[in-house]
Amino acid sequence: QVQLVESGGGLVQAGGSLRLSCVASGRTSGRVVIGWFRQAPGKEREFVAAISRSGDATDYSDSVKGRFTISRDNADNTVYLQMNSLKPEDTAAYYCAARGTFSTEYTYWGQGTQVTVSS
């Protein structure tokens, strides 16, 4: 079992920055891949970024590549999503999720944190 809690969302102007945090807890929290997803009203949930359990491998969607950075601090069981050059289209509820290294399905999900970017 892995529990995930996101924080750091808020309202920001276009061009601004926010840093989201995802704190993982549970017996296997240090051995999972963590991903960030987002869902805007009326839209499908979409993948944003992911990081391997060691932190040495990352992946990004094309829409955020070069603007967002995912990182993790395994000592604190925390994964961060640094979001720079935010655009109104980045407005969404952001969720972190966890999966096993060899699994393709994200099994555990947090409750989400809202990010709103004003133009």
Side-chain angles (χ1 to χ4, degrees):
Q1 283 281 6
V2 177
Q3 293 79 43
L4 302 169
V5 178
E6 305 96 333
S7 63
L11 174 64
V12 64
Q13 288 188 329
S17 299
L18 281 175
R19 188 177 78 160
L20 305 183
S21 299
C22 172
V23 178
S25 60
R27 291 180 61 188
T28 59
S29 61
R31 301 198 294 271
V32 293
V33 173
I34 299 290
W36 283 98
F37 293 78
R38 66 187 182 186
Q39 187 167 21
K43 293 189 176 181
E44 297 279 324
R45 184 172 62 198
E46 65 170 339
F47 169 79
V48 175
I51 189 165
S52 63
R53 65 178 186 176
S54 65
D56 60 355
T58 58
D59 189 23
Y60 298 91
S61 69
D62 288 342
S63 62
V64 307
K65 199 171 294 182
R67 300 188 298 123
F68 292 10
T69 302
I70 190 170
S71 61
R72 72 190 295 165
D73 181 345
N74 283 337
D76 287 338
N77 292 323
T78 303
V79 172
Y80 302 99
L81 184 68
Q82 178 67 44
M83 306 186 296
N84 298 329
S85 302
L86 282 162
K87 305 174 181 179
E89 51 263 43
D90 294 317
T91 295
Y94 283 71
Y95 301 88
C96 66
R99 63 172 175 84
T101 299
F102 301 106
S103 173
T104 58
E105 180 180 358
Y106 284 86
T107 308
Y108 305 101
W109 292 82
Q111 293 299 306
T113 186
Q114 179 67 35
V115 171
T116 302
V117 184
S118 63
S119 56

